[in-house]
Amino acid sequence: MTGEFAVIGLGRFGGSIVRELSANGYDVLAIDADEERVNEFMGLATHAVIADTTDENVLKSLGIRNFEHVIVAIGENIQASILTTLILKELGVQTITVKATNDYHEKVLRRIGADNIVHPERDMGVRIANGLMSQSILDYLELSNEHSIVEIKASDKLSNKSLIDLDLRAKYGVNIVAVRREDDVIISPQADEMILPEDVLIIIGKDTDLDRLERTLRSR
């Protein structure tokens, strides 16, 4: 990932993005209409400015079209989020990621051309719920309405067997795309790869198939 980032909206979600990007050495322009929030990021972001991003002239004056990726993290004002996104598209920003607060908000954002739409509260809730419901699933990432990637720790039912012995693809229709072993990650493991007790399997598949696998691992 190269180039500069601009983050509009410095609430909990936007603020965490600014902190993470800055910590990894990226140039970040942090923008919010609230002076107190902007002051919080003065010494952290490359630049932090107070601005009304629903004003096209303001965005032009900030040189926003020169940023490779703009994240719109405005959460409490849907109208401001939509209008800001629309102006960014019209100004020709290359990639726009927008935080959506509900399904209606997402629908509008898609129609006006947002490149990436995230539901941080909903997605985190799903991940936490999956972790609470299962002792096997360590992490969960939704890819679409029907497909996900999960990290599953190698239980007694999985460990000390080769991938060909487990044959998860034939039995459940899921694929092991990687195996995490201590500090190493084995990408596209071979069929004769033995699964060790402390391994973590990274598995992709349809949600219904992943659920069947998880229920089997949970059963005694």
Side-chain angles (χ1 to χ4, degrees):
M1 192 178 294
T2 60
E4 295 180 326
F5 295 83
V7 179
I8 300 172
L10 302 177
R12 187 179 303 172
F13 176 63
S16 67
I17 293 176
V18 173
R19 290 187 182 92
E20 189 66 20
L21 289 172
S22 299
N24 283 277
Y26 290 101
D27 290 330
V28 185
L29 171 63
I31 307 170
D32 201 288
D34 187 292
E35 182 178 1
E36 189 174 328
R37 285 183 176 176
V38 172
N39 289 337
E40 184 182 341
F41 289 89
M42 281 290 187
L44 182 61
T46 311
H47 301 286
V49 297
I50 305 164
D52 175 9
T53 57
T54 63
D55 186 327
E56 183 175 349
N57 291 325
V58 169
L59 286 176
K60 284 181 178 179
S61 71
L62 292 173
I64 203 74
R65 71 179 72 191
N66 298 319
F67 286 82
E68 183 177 313
H69 198 147
V70 178
I71 298 95
V72 181
I74 302 170
E76 61 277 6
N77 188 332
I78 291 179
Q79 183 175 333
S81 168
I82 292 169
L83 186 53
T84 297
T85 304
L86 185 59
I87 295 171
L88 292 172
K89 287 297 293 185
E90 291 178 345
L91 290 177
V93 173
Q94 183 176 332
T95 305
I96 305 169
T97 295
V98 191
K99 171 187 175 180
T101 56
N102 55 47
D103 290 339
Y104 168 76
H105 189 189
E106 176 180 358
K107 189 174 183 179
V108 175
L109 291 171
R110 289 198 184 282
R111 287 192 175 182
I112 62 176
D115 299 289
N116 306 302
I117 300 170
V118 295
H119 291 263
E121 289 88 358
R122 183 194 69 185
D123 294 346
M124 184 54 68
V126 171
R127 293 176 73 169
I128 291 172
N130 274 276
L132 293 173
M133 289 186 297
S134 172
Q135 294 181 336
S136 300
I137 294 180
L138 300 177
D139 204 356
Y140 165 96
L141 175 65
E142 182 181 283
L143 298 177
S144 69
N145 290 335
E146 296 183 351
H147 294 83
S148 301
I149 292 178
V150 297
E151 291 188 352
I152 296 181
K153 60 185 177 183
S155 63
D156 292 340
K157 293 183 178 181
L158 297 174
S159 58
N160 299 315
K161 298 181 178 69
S162 70
L163 294 185
I164 197 167
D165 290 334
L166 292 174
D167 205 10
L168 297 185
R169 183 171 184 175
K171 294 176 182 175
Y172 300 96
V174 301
N175 290 291
I176 298 174
V177 294
V179 176
R180 196 167 74 234
R181 182 170 296 156
E182 295 181 348
D183 295 329
D184 295 326
V185 177
I186 303 167
I187 305 295
S188 299
Q190 299 296 312
D192 59 356
E193 183 72 45
M194 293 295 294
I195 301 302
L196 305 182
E198 298 300 317
D199 285 350
V200 173
L201 309 184
I202 301 169
I203 304 175
I204 188 170
K206 292 183 67 172
D207 293 338
T208 51
D209 295 330
L210 291 169
D211 286 343
R212 284 194 304 119
L213 171 61
E214 197 276 322
R215 284 197 300 271
T216 301
L217 297 177
R218 217 170 24 180
S219 64
R220 296 184 181 276

